[in-house]
């Protein structure tokens, strides 16, 4: 089915573990984004990417790593999860030259 | 942070009434967008207004932009229960493709 998907939708992990959140889009959009959403903070940008192999830090990148070897995939890795990374994570994409972003359904991550 | 601010934080109205929410930002912008988020879901784009536009309509939505005051408003007319959601403004600056989001306004439409 076309669109932008995220997996897993829910994840519980422990402090110190590595976690990877997956994002896949079928539109061949150039731009992809990772946000975290926390009460009182709205959406904060973690990392973004303009194309395969091009990534940049957003507002809150510490503790996260991204890669983009293929246009359609943009995984986000928490190298050593901390409780402060408990959040809802959203992936989004947009086409080159367009401003509108399309969002995935989100991944709710709990770090115990 | 370049995030905008929205007010009110929460709004409760009766079905059929209008809902108005406001957004402010701090920089010069290329455009400003509004998104809706239903509970437990991702954000959905509603409307985009460019910096050289002052007003835009889409169905029951009306967006205004005042670049001199660095503010925007979203009006939802004749609200329905299905309009219950959180609404976020997001702005894009020139020569950048990132968006900066506000904290959102939670709208509850009572039947």
């Amino acid at each position: 089915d076309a669109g932008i998907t995220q997996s897993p939708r829910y994840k519980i992990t422990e402090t110190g573990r590595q976690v990877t959140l997956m994002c896949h889009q079928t539109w061949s959009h150039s731009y992809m984004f990772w946000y975290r959403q926390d009460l009182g903070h709205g959406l904060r940008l973690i990392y973004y990417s303009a194309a395969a192999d091009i990534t940049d830090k957003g507002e809150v990148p510490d503790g996260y790593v991204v890669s983009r070897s293929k246009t359609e995939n943009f995984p986000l890795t928490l190298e050593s999860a901390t409780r402060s990374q408990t959040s809802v994570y959203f992936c989004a994409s947009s086409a080159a030259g367009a401003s509108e972003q399309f969002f995935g359904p989100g991944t709710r991550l709990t770090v115990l | 942070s370049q995030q905008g601010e929205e007010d009110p934080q929460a709004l409760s109205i009766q079905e059929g009434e209008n809902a108005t929410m406001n957004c402010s930002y701090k920089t010069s912008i290329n455009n400003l967008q509004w998104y809706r988020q239903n509970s437990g879901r991702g954000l959905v784009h509603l409307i985009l207004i460019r910096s050289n536009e002052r007003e835009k309509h889409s169905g029951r939505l009306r967006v205004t932009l005042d670049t001199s005051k660095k503010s925007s408003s979203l009006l939802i007319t004749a609200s329905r229960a299905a309009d219950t959601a959180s609404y976020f403004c997001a702005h894009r600056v020139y020569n950048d493709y990132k968006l900066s989001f506000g904290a959102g306004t939670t709208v509850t439409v009572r039947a």
Side-chain angles (χ1 to χ4, degrees):
Chain A
D1 195 11
I4 182 166
T5 57
Q6 293 183 236
S7 61
R9 293 293 314 280
Y10 303 91
K11 177 74 177 178
I12 299 174
T13 191
E14 295 178 337
T15 302
R17 291 193 181 261
Q18 183 179 84
V19 177
T20 295
L21 309 183
M22 304 302 292
C23 179
H24 175 78
Q25 52 104 354
T26 61
W27 296 302
S28 297
H29 283 170
S30 296
Y31 302 130
M32 296 188 75
F33 309 84
W34 273 108
Y35 297 91
R36 59 177 291 172
Q37 184 176 34
D38 306 286
L39 277 174
H41 288 281
L43 271 78
R44 292 183 290 176
L45 183 64
I46 305 170
Y47 268 96
Y48 58 106
S49 168
D53 298 323
I54 300 175
T55 61
D56 280 297
K57 295 180 180 179
E59 185 185 353
V60 289
D62 293 345
Y64 304 94
V65 174
V66 293
S67 62
R68 194 161 176 213
S69 57
K70 292 183 177 181
T71 300
E72 61 266 30
N73 296 323
F74 192 37
L76 175 74
T77 298
L78 289 67
E79 294 190 299
S80 178
T82 65
R83 289 199 181 96
S84 65
Q85 292 177 310
T86 291
S87 186
V88 181
Y89 290 86
F90 288 98
C91 178
S93 71
S94 66
S99 289
E100 175 185 356
Q101 292 187 11
F102 295 85
F103 282 78
T107 294
R108 182 174 294 276
L109 176 68
T110 302
V111 183
L112 301 176
Chain B
S1 170
Q2 294 187 6
Q3 284 189 338
E5 295 182 2
E6 294 182 59
D7 89 280
Q9 289 187 348
L11 183 58
S12 179
I13 56 174
Q14 202 74 29
E15 206 165 23
E17 293 180 339
N18 295 342
T20 300
M21 60 211 84
N22 304 294
C23 168
S24 62
Y25 55 91
K26 298 177 181 177
T27 63
S28 294
I29 64 171
N30 176 291
N31 65 63
L32 187 140
Q33 303 170 41
W34 287 89
Y35 288 78
R36 183 187 73 229
Q37 184 181 32
N38 291 94
S39 181
R41 310 289 288 269
L43 279 71
V44 174
H45 183 264
L46 293 176
I47 193 166
L48 179 153
I49 186 165
R50 303 189 190 287
S51 60
N52 61 353
E53 297 175 311
R54 292 296 166 258
E55 188 171 312
K56 202 161 183 180
H57 296 254
S58 176
R60 293 184 296 112
L61 305 179
R62 173 180 169 248
V63 170
T64 62
L65 179 64
D66 187 335
T67 53
S68 67
K69 294 182 179 178
K70 291 185 168 57
S71 67
S72 174
S73 68
L74 171 67
L75 168 68
I76 305 172
T77 60
S79 62
R80 305 166 182 170
D83 295 327
T84 293
S86 292
Y87 293 81
F88 294 87
C89 68
H91 64 268
R92 178 183 168 188
V93 301
Y94 289 98
N95 300 318
D96 200 352
Y97 57 91
K98 303 191 302 291
L99 293 178
S100 294
F101 283 84
T105 294
T106 299
V107 175
T108 302
V109 181
R110 306 185 308 273

